[in-house]
Amino acid sequence: MDSDEYCGKPYKIIDSKREKKIGIVASSLPDFITKAQKKLNISEQIKVVLESDGTEIDEDDYFDTLEKNTLIMILKPDEKWCSYSDISIKLADDQVDGSQNLYSLIQRLQNDIGQIALLGGCDLELLSDMDPDSLIDMSFDRSFLDQIKEASGRFLYEKREAQDALNLLKLYHASTINQTSSKKSKV
């Protein structure tokens, strides 16, 4: 066997539907991408994100900071990250068809626009990525669709900012605990 196969760190890769989970060892982000594409039999460009929160991994410097066995999601160009709970809710509601899901979301918001603040990341992303022109013929007012698109984009941004802040707090807390335990061990 080639000695390069033993260089690097182990990672776990998972597809966007969370159906396939595979372990690989990679020494860099390009090496990781090549191996992930091969293992998942993907010939097109992929996007690499943390499975836990969807953070995109697009630099070797960041990739190098990941811990061993980090779970990384592989996304094809037409796929987007969604939290596990969002996927579970959608499957439980039998909302498989994306256009039907979008239509039902807009209908719910037409009845109570305040519900937009309660939507999960996947639904907000679906709304912020929608094309209002394609939905006008479904008896929705264009200005209402534009407002939903803009508001969902804002809420999505705010949710991601809040998640980033929580992740920083977790890192700070873990760092503080490590510093405290290393001081105690020196005493």
Side-chain angles (χ1 to χ4, degrees), residues 9-13 22-26 31-33 35-36 39:
K9 286 193 281 190
Y11 300 96
K12 294 177 184 169
I13 56 176
I22 302 167
I24 63 171
V25 174
D31 182 39
F32 176 87
I33 290 172
K35 289 179 177 179
K39 289 276 188 176

Side-chain angles (χ1 to χ4, degrees), residues 118-137:
L118 305 174
L119 295 177
C122 285
D123 288 337
L124 289 172
E125 202 160 325
L126 185 64
L127 290 169
S128 67
D129 289 346
M130 75 175 165
D131 177 17
D133 291 329
S134 67
L135 298 169
I136 291 175
D137 60 338

Side-chain angles (χ1 to χ4, degrees), residues 20 34-36 42 58 90-91 97 119 123 130 135 177:
K20 282 185 180 177
T34 301
K35 289 179 177 179
I42 300 172
D58 61 356
K90 284 186 181 192
L91 291 175
D97 180 13
L119 295 177
D123 288 337
M130 75 175 165
L135 298 169
I177 290 173

